[in-house]
């Protein structure tokens, strides 16, 4: 019997080639989307799952309230870890990572290069994260200052096949002793590093390490099994509220520590600032999963629609089978078997295409996802099982309809009906759902594209184009003015500045004091330290007051420039009234006789975005303080960029021959801040196109079926004088109405969903009415184009052929 069912299924596939091809192809497209997104989602959920003891590891992050704004910082004070370790017995171990974004020059003999992904950590780091060592002892590797642990790639790169343990490697011209070599790193670890240096290698004042307001460390805590993390978190927070907050000086900032489970860091830290983790985005993962399911649902609905539509062609076959003894159960099994066969064929095609798509996905996402059914039998079984499930779910309704035909009616050439009736309404309902999902995706894709365009084109308050910047090394810092003069000797170098803190790069979160009638008020702010050319080089827009001036000798010791938000937060009312207002700043590394810089506001600049538009602008202070100059930035002309870079490189080599020049362009740095949204936008357009294609394929087949069912009606209308346009309008009207209904259903859902997404952005577009108009028109145009071939074909056909049997 099964053999007979199989033969019948193959014959029907061959007999209705067009319908079968559309069914298989649409289901294949839907499955490809599901497979690709399924692999991506599975990979995203594997992060930190392979870390031994990871179920008891938490990261301590900080919720910060500043001037009415709430932000979540991945970093916290260095005292977080030490306080937890010495106060709570349920804490097994803690470890800190110091936030460092710089590259370091690694050097062994003549072999040297700048290397990224180096971190400074506590000696207990490998107790919290017990990574495997290929050489060395994890327990003692980072106990002493100037010690380092390399990964295998770097060990091979700098020491070849020699054992590096105990050997010296220079880090920015300082000697470090190699104490360990890591074995292969876990493939899904939220910390991405290539070498680890001991935290004692950095000389940090003991009193600063006990401060609660110096947020420069990523703190991890490993709890003893069975610990109630919520109770521990409450006790820690209570200490901060009762003991720490009363001692803080800042009036506009409060903070509270929270514990984040290790397994949640990758996907649930998208809105964290100052994060060094390899981050995903749980919202985007869920969104993409839903979109992939949408496409698969559309494909399955196609199958249901086409199967029920095709049922009228198989009415006599069903009648004959029932007359000769086939019961309804046998017919249902046969038709579901045919559906499963189609599903299996689609799965095989989809798996084949996915195999070739996965490398493209890896290039796009930077992942290393594998898709090999022969080496992963569990994946193979899962996919085959999904083929059966999809086949059953997609085929159960058509099987019920087909098996319910009454043999007497179909053998007398009467119109067959299902026991429940209303199959036409079911088909129309499925078309509405298909195009509602398509319209939703169209609206979403347009809004994401608009938001991305807004992020990339919004005025950020300064000009970051053609600005090159790099860290000072070697003798550049000692001969800074001479170095700047040499750079400016090239006419294409328009301006040069040096300091600590650049937009898009590292800067300080530091407090200032505003003296008043009731004493000094401490206020948190972002601190940017430059020189007399800082404002000019970066193109900040002065809206009140003046720029720093070399002619004003007091500017170095007494001048501050603030942004518009600082005017409000500092209580200065307006930019004009802010001029001349006093500001005090506790100097960094100041001698006891001169601990505070007392100055006044000489200018106000337009608010500028020092980070991405994911973060709201806060109070910012710009000043001159030469002792902490760290980086150089230069504004370049748009002409002869290559020769200008060569000039900068040659100048650098004369001043710092021991360090290669390592530079970045500021606009490229800003562009990287929106990579995840750019990828989301691209994926949305891809899946929207897939949904439209799949939906259109089903609509095309239904239009063909509709035209075939109304062949004689069309012939009679033409004989009675109906024009080609009349016939086309007649056949197209029902589909246009269905698409319009689907748009009316989809638009409120799309509006709500995209408003929720836009809430993640402090700076965002408003959703305009024309977005929905464009989506609706696009859906109608797609529908008209899809059905036009069949309607034109029916409208121009010769009525004699369709009526000759009457």
């Amino acid at each position: 019997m099964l053999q007979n069912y199989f033969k019948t299924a193959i014959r029907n596939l061959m007999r209705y080639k067009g319908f079968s091809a559309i069914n298989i192809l649409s289901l294949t497209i839907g499955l490809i989307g599901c497979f690709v997104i399924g692999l991506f989602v599975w990979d995203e959920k594997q992060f930190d799952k392979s870390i031994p003891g990871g179920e008891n590891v938490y990261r301590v992050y900080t919720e910060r309230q500043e001037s009415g704004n709430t932000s979540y910082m991945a970093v916290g004070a260095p005292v977080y870890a030490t306080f937890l370790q010495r106060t709570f017995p349920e804490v097994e171990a803690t470890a800190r990572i110091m936030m460092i974004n710089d590259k370091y020059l690694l050097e062994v003999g003549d072999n040297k290069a700048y290397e990224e992904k180096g971190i400074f950590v506590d000696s207990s780091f490998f107790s919290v994260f017990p990574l495997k060592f290929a050489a060395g002892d994890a327990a003692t590797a980072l106990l002493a200052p100037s010690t380092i642990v390399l990964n295998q790639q770097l060990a091979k790169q700098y020491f070849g096949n020699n054992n590096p343990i105990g050997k010296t490697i220079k880090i920015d011209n300082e000697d470090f002793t190699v104490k360990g070599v890591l074995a292969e790193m876990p493939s899904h670890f939220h910390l991405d590093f290539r070498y680890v240096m001991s935290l004692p290698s950095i000389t940090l004042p003991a009193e600063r390490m006990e401060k609660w307001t110096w947020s420069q460390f990523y703190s991890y805590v490993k709890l003893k099994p069975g610990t109630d993390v919520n109770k521990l978190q409450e006790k820690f927070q209570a200490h901060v509220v009762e003991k720490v907050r009363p001692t803080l000086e800042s009036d506009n900032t409060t903070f509270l520590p929270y514990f984040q489970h290790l397994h949640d860091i990758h996907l649930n830290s998208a809105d964290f600032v100052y994060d060094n983790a390899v981050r995903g985005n749980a919202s985007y993962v869920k969104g993409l999963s839903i979109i992939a399911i949408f496409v698969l649902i559309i494909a399955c609905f196609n199958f249901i629609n086409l199967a029920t539509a095709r049922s009228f062609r198989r009415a006599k076959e069903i009648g004959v089978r029932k007359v000769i003894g086939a019961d309804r159960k046998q017919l249902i099994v046969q038709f579901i078997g045919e559906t499963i066969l189609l599903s299996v064929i689609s799965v095989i095609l989809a798996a084949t295409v996915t195999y070739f798509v996965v490398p493209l996905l890896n290039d796009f996402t930077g992942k290393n996802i594998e898709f090999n059914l022969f080496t992963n039998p569990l994946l193979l079984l899962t996919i085959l099982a999904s083929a059966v499930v999809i086949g059953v779910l997609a085929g159960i309704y058509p099987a019920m309809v087909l098996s319910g035909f009454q043999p007497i009616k179909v053998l007398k050439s009467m119109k067959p009906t299902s026991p429940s009736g209303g199959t036409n309404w079911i088909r129309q309902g499925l078309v509405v759902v298909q195009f509602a999902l398509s319209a939703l995706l169209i609206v979403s894709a347009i809004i994401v594209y608009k938001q991305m365009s807004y992020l990339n084109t919004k005025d950020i308050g300064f000009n970051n184009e053609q600005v090159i910047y790099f860290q000072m090394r070697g003798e550049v810092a000692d001969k800074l003015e001479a170095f700047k003069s040499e750079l400016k000797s090239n006419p294409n170098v328009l301006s040069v500045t040096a300091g600590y803190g650049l937009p898009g790069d590292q800067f300080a979160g530091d407090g200032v004091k505003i003296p008043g009638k009731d004493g000094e008020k401490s206020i948190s702010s972002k601190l940017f330290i430059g020189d007399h050319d800082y404002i000019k080089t970066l193109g900040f827009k002065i809206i009140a007051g003046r720029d720093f001036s070399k002619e004003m000798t007091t500017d170095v010791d007494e001048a501050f420039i603030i942004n518009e938000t600082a005017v409000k937060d500092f209580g200065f009312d307006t930019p004009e009234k802010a001029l001349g207002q006093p500001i005090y700043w506790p100097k960094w590394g100041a001698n006891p006789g001169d601990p505070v810089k007392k100055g006044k506001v000489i200018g106000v600049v337009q608010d500028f975005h020092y980070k991405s538009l994911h973060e709201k602008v806060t109070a910012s202070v710009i000043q001159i303080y030469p002792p902490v100059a760290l980086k150089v930035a230069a504004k370049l002309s748009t002409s002869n960029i290559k020769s200008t870079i060569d000039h900068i490189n040659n100048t650098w080599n004369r001043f710092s021959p021991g360090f290669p020049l390592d530079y970045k362009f500021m606009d490229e740095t800003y562009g990287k801040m929106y990579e995840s949204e750019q990828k989301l936008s691209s994926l949305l357009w891809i899946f929207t196109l897939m949904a439209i294609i799949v939906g259109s394929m089903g609509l095309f087949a239904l239009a063909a079926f509709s035209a075939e069912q109304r062949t004689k009606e069309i012939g009679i209308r033409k004989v009675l004088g109906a024009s080609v346009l009349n016939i086309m309008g007649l056949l197209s009207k029902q589909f246009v109405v269905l698409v319009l209904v689907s748009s009316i259903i989809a638009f409120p859902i799309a509006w709500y969903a995209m408003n929720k997404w836009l809430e993640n952005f402090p700076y965002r577009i408003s959703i305009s009415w024309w977005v929905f108009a464009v989506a609706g028109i696009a859906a109608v145009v797609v529908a008209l184009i899809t059905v036009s071939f069949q309607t034109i074909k029916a409208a121009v056909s010769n009525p004699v052929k369709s009526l000759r049997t009457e």
Side-chain angles (χ1 to χ4, degrees), residues 34 57 85 118 143 209 250 293 350 363 484 506 603 664 684 688 721 766 779 788:
C34 279
V57 175
Q85 183 74 73
L143 287 175
M209 294 298 287
S250 180
I293 293 172
D363 291 340
K484 290 166 60 179
Q506 64 187 105
K664 296 179 182 178
L684 253 180
T688 300
S766 57
S788 62

Side-chain angles (χ1 to χ4, degrees), residues 608-682:
F608 58 95
H609 292 274
Y610 41 80
K611 297 289 281 184
S612 75
L613 270 71
H614 288 288
E615 301 175 30
K616 199 166 185 178
V617 171
T618 56
S620 299
V621 176
I622 305 169
Q623 62 166 315
I624 300 174
Y625 189 61
V628 294
L630 179 66
K631 293 192 177 182
V632 175
K635 179 74 172 180
L636 310 183
S637 169
T638 55
S639 59
N640 298 319
I641 290 292
K642 185 179 182 304
S643 63
T644 306
I645 296 296
D646 290 340
H647 165 74
I648 295 174
N649 192 54
N650 292 334
T651 304
W652 172 272
N653 289 335
R654 290 199 299 273
F655 281 83
S656 186
F659 293 88
L661 177 65
D662 181 50
Y663 64 87
K664 296 179 182 178
F665 276 96
M666 191 171 286
D667 56 348
E668 293 178 355
T669 300
Y670 270 81
K672 291 179 180 178
M673 296 177 182
Y674 307 115
E675 282 185 346
S676 61
E677 283 78 20
Q678 292 282 13
K679 290 178 180 179
L680 174 67
S681 180
S682 300

Side-chain angles (χ1 to χ4, degrees), residues 13-175:
L13 285 178
M14 301 306 296
R15 184 179 180 186
Y16 304 110
K17 295 183 180 68
F19 274 69
S20 299
I22 290 175
N23 257 334
I24 292 172
L25 188 56
S26 63
L27 194 54
T28 298
I29 293 173
L31 286 168
I32 290 170
C34 279
F35 287 170
V36 171
I37 294 301
L39 289 169
F40 174 79
V41 171
W42 181 87
D43 187 82
E44 286 287 278
K45 291 182 177 293
Q46 299 310 303
F47 271 81
D48 299 310
K49 298 291 178 65
S50 61
I51 302 298
E55 64 277 4
N56 295 315
V57 175
Y58 296 82
R59 181 172 70 172
V60 186
Y61 70 91
T62 306
E63 180 190 79
R64 188 181 182 93
Q65 300 280 347
E66 186 173 5
S67 301
N69 299 317
T70 302
S71 61
Y72 300 94
M73 302 193 307
V75 292
V79 72
Y80 280 5
T82 52
F83 179 82
L84 286 167
Q85 183 74 73
R86 67 179 177 234
T87 307
F88 300 107
E90 52 263 61
V91 174
E92 181 177 312
T94 62
R96 295 169 297 187
I97 304 174
M98 188 170 185
M99 185 176 69
I100 300 290
N101 297 320
D102 296 327
K103 294 180 181 179
Y104 293 95
L105 183 67
L106 272 62
E107 186 176 0
V108 176
D110 295 330
N111 186 4
K112 62 181 180 179
Y114 284 111
E115 302 291 352
E116 294 182 302
K117 303 177 181 178
I119 57 176
F120 289 93
V121 304
D122 280 324
S123 60
S124 57
F125 179 78
F126 295 114
S127 297
V128 176
F129 301 107
L131 305 179
K132 294 181 180 179
F133 270 55
D137 181 11
T140 60
L142 298 175
L143 287 175
S146 300
T147 53
I148 187 172
V149 174
L150 305 173
N151 70 1
Q152 287 184 313
Q153 181 183 356
L154 285 180
K156 178 79 172 178
Q157 178 179 331
Y158 288 96
F159 295 98
N161 294 323
N162 298 322
N163 182 6
I165 302 300
K167 291 187 168 59
T168 299
I169 183 171
K170 288 185 179 295
I171 312 291
D172 277 4
N173 273 346
E174 294 185 12
D175 290 342

Side-chain angles (χ1 to χ4, degrees), residues 492-555:
N492 290 321
V493 178
L494 305 179
S495 181
V496 181
T497 186
Y500 179 93
L502 291 169
D505 193 60
Q506 64 187 105
F507 50 84
D510 206 2
V512 295
K513 295 184 178 182
I514 309 299
K517 296 179 181 179
D518 300 325
E520 297 176 357
K521 180 172 67 173
S522 296
I523 301 180
S524 177
S525 65
K526 299 296 183 290
L527 184 65
F528 297 86
I529 296 174
D531 56 19
H532 295 90
D533 297 316
Y534 189 86
I535 303 293
K536 178 176 67 175
T537 302
L538 297 179
F540 290 119
K541 300 171 185 177
I542 297 178
I543 59 175
R546 64 174 177 86
D547 191 0
F548 298 118
S549 173
K550 293 180 180 178
E551 297 177 359
M552 302 292 292
T553 57
T554 57
D555 278 2

Side-chain angles (χ1 to χ4, degrees), residues 211-389:
K211 288 180 69 69
W212 287 89
T213 54
W214 184 34
S215 298
Q216 194 76 20
F217 290 81
Y218 304 99
S219 301
Y220 294 86
V221 54
K222 188 172 186 178
L223 306 181
K224 294 176 181 177
T227 299
D228 188 329
V229 65
N230 292 322
K231 288 185 178 179
L232 177 62
Q233 178 178 275
E234 289 173 3
K235 289 189 287 186
F236 188 35
Q237 290 177 343
H239 174 81
V240 171
V241 172
E242 295 175 14
K243 303 295 184 182
V244 178
R245 280 187 183 174
T247 66
L248 301 180
E249 295 180 343
S250 180
D251 295 331
N252 69 330
T253 302
T254 60
F255 66 90
L256 205 60
Y258 284 86
F259 288 6
Q260 182 183 34
H261 196 277
L262 177 65
H263 297 166
D264 294 333
I265 292 175
H266 175 70
L267 283 178
N268 295 291
S269 305
D271 56 347
F272 282 24
V273 296
Y274 310 120
D275 200 350
N276 70 337
V278 179
R279 291 190 291 178
N281 190 312
S283 297
Y284 291 173
V285 167
K286 292 176 183 176
L288 290 173
S289 301
I290 292 171
I291 291 169
I293 293 172
F294 280 0
V295 177
L296 185 60
I297 288 173
I298 292 172
C300 290
F301 282 5
N302 265 357
F303 183 89
I304 295 171
N305 257 338
L306 297 181
T308 53
R310 193 181 64 179
S311 63
F312 295 100
R313 290 184 175 182
R314 301 185 64 179
K316 289 187 178 180
E317 173 199 340
I318 296 164
V320 171
R321 285 180 177 274
K322 282 197 168 186
V323 167
I324 62 176
D327 59 26
R328 189 172 187 185
K329 181 180 178 181
Q330 291 173 321
L331 292 173
I332 290 174
V333 171
Q334 177 189 334
F335 294 134
I336 290 181
E338 291 180 12
T339 310
I340 293 174
L341 176 62
L342 283 173
S343 181
V344 169
I345 293 172
S346 298
V347 164
I348 292 172
L349 291 174
T352 303
V353 174
T354 302
Y355 178 80
F356 293 101
V357 169
V358 164
L360 300 177
L361 175 67
N362 287 334
D363 291 340
F364 184 73
T365 61
K367 291 181 173 293
N368 191 28
I369 299 172
E370 293 184 359
F371 182 73
N372 192 326
L373 300 180
F374 299 103
T375 60
N376 192 339
L378 180 60
L379 181 60
L380 176 61
L381 289 174
T382 302
I383 288 177
L384 291 177
S386 67
V388 175
V389 172

Side-chain angles (χ1 to χ4, degrees), residues 401-590:
V401 172
L402 268 65
S403 63
F405 287 168
Q406 300 176 21
I408 296 177
K409 289 186 176 182
V410 297
L411 293 177
K412 286 184 176 182
S413 297
M414 297 173 64
K415 183 178 179 180
T417 58
S418 66
S420 58
T423 57
N424 189 49
W425 283 103
I426 295 294
R427 289 201 300 275
Q428 291 178 351
L430 295 179
V431 170
V432 168
V433 174
Q434 284 178 301
F435 271 84
L437 296 177
S438 298
L440 194 155
L441 289 177
I442 292 171
V443 171
S444 301
I446 293 174
I447 292 173
V448 170
Y449 174 78
K450 278 191 64 187
Q451 176 66 13
M452 286 310 305
S453 298
Y454 175 77
L455 294 178
N456 288 314
T457 58
K458 184 183 183 299
D459 181 9
I460 58 174
F462 72 103
N463 189 354
N464 65 1
E465 296 180 354
Q466 306 302 124
V467 176
I468 185 176
Y469 66 98
F470 44 86
Q471 184 172 330
M472 289 189 288
R473 299 176 187 271
E475 297 182 5
V476 171
D478 297 330
K479 302 176 181 179
L480 181 56
E481 291 305 317
F483 176 72
K484 290 166 60 179
S485 296
E486 284 289 325
L487 292 183
K488 289 188 285 188
S489 66
N490 187 311
N492 290 321
V493 178
L494 305 179
S495 181
V496 181
T497 186
Y500 179 93
L502 291 169
D505 193 60
Q506 64 187 105
F507 50 84
D510 206 2
V512 295
K513 295 184 178 182
I514 309 299
K517 296 179 181 179
D518 300 325
E520 297 176 357
K521 180 172 67 173
S522 296
I523 301 180
S524 177
S525 65
K526 299 296 183 290
L527 184 65
F528 297 86
I529 296 174
D531 56 19
H532 295 90
D533 297 316
Y534 189 86
I535 303 293
K536 178 176 67 175
T537 302
L538 297 179
F540 290 119
K541 300 171 185 177
I542 297 178
I543 59 175
R546 64 174 177 86
D547 191 0
F548 298 118
S549 173
K550 293 180 180 178
E551 297 177 359
M552 302 292 292
T553 57
T554 57
D555 278 2
V556 174
D557 297 319
E558 299 178 3
F560 293 96
I561 294 177
I562 62 177
N563 68 346
E564 294 172 283
T565 299
V567 172
K568 300 173 185 176
D569 289 356
F570 294 176
F572 295 156
D573 196 17
T574 66
E576 289 72 22
K577 292 181 180 180
L579 302 178
Q581 295 285 353
I583 292 180
Y584 297 168
W585 174 65
K587 294 180 181 179
W588 294 346

